[in-house]
Amino acid sequence: MTLEQAAQAAGGLEWVHQPESFGAEADLQYGLELLAAAKQGRLGPTLRVYRPAPTVAFGQRDAHLPGFQEAARRCRELGFEPLVRKAGGRAAAYHEGCLVLDHVEPLADAIAGAKRRFSQFGELIAGGLRDAGVLAAVGEIPGEYCPGEFSIHGAYTLDPLRRVKLVGTAQRVVAGAWLFSSVVVVQDSAPLREVLTASYDALGLDWDPATAGSAEDLVPGLTVATVEQSLRDAYSGHAEVRDGAFGELVERVPAPVVVRVQPA
């Protein structure tokens, strides 16, 4: 089933802009709360978009490496909250200069189309970035952080062979629903390179810091608001997108309360 067919069958997609971050851990948890609500039939196709608090989201494999605690300490020193996510590969960093898109949908056989969703949404998001003026394409670039077959990268206009990773995607599938998360790096890439360099060094993982960049590095002056509108327009080309009220979403699916315990 294509994106268009899925959207028609589901009756469209509700686009909900979260006005401010709940905090790094609560934001991550809320995506799972939305997934659970979709699985239980309490939530239809919904895309929540927000600007996150400074976060380094480690993969499950990272958390078992000897250097993980040191990596987490370095993140905190640089003002990023270290978390371990349930979906995705290696460590990825993001902050207020990024957009997170959490797209959830109820679907009886959610597992069947999992790989196809990576390809379809990757091409859709790359198209939205191209509409914003970025030379964007789908595919892993050598040495990128959190490498993945369906990463989205961008190229410099005057040097197309010089590419940077702009979007990482991850997916969590449960019986009856799926969650597809995309992190789009729009602005201020320097702090992300710094914290990723510190984290990957502590974990003993190789990567090339030159592969970490932002859309604004490629298109000077590009804003988060412009990119969000371009992505919304891209989704509108494949589904009936309607604006949803964030307050109503929170009434249906209450935001999680996270108790923070300071590290010793």
Side-chain angles (χ1 to χ4, degrees), residues 2 57 60 105 135 178 192 208 239 253:
T2 65
Q60 297 285 332
E105 293 203 14
L135 296 177
W178 51 262
L192 301 178
D208 180 1
V253 186

Side-chain angles (χ1 to χ4, degrees), residues 97 134 156 166 185-189 213-224 227:
V134 180
Y156 285 82
L166 298 177
V185 183
V186 183
Q187 296 177 315
D188 198 18
S189 60
S214 69
E216 186 188 29
D217 293 336
L218 309 177
V219 182
L222 195 60
T223 67
V224 175
V227 170

Side-chain angles (χ1 to χ4, degrees), residues 137-160:
V138 178
E140 181 180 340
I141 56 177
E144 70 178 23
Y145 65 92
C146 192
E149 179 184 356
F150 299 103
S151 294
I152 299 161
H153 61 265
Y156 285 82
T157 304
L158 299 180
D159 186 4

Side-chain angles (χ1 to χ4, degrees), residues 169-210:
T169 57
Q171 184 175 191
R172 185 162 177 78
V173 179
V174 296
W178 51 262
L179 162 65
F180 195 92
S181 295
S182 308
V183 178
V184 185
V185 183
V186 183
Q187 296 177 315
D188 198 18
S189 60
L192 301 178
R193 278 191 296 276
E194 182 181 23
V195 75
L196 286 170
T197 297
S199 300
Y200 275 64
D201 177 68
L203 295 172
L205 299 175
D206 291 329
W207 78 295
D208 180 1

Side-chain angles (χ1 to χ4, degrees), residues 110-121 149-150 171 180:
I111 296 175
K115 186 168 184 178
R116 184 170 62 250
R117 280 190 287 275
F118 275 111
S119 175
Q120 291 179 328
F121 286 124
E149 179 184 356
F150 299 103
Q171 184 175 191
F180 195 92

Side-chain angles (χ1 to χ4, degrees), residues 21-44:
S21 170
F22 293 137
E25 188 173 357
D27 279 334
L28 198 62
Q29 180 62 31
Y30 196 52
L32 299 178
E33 298 287 346
L34 296 176
L35 176 64
K39 173 183 177 178
Q40 295 161 8
R42 296 186 289 116
L43 188 68

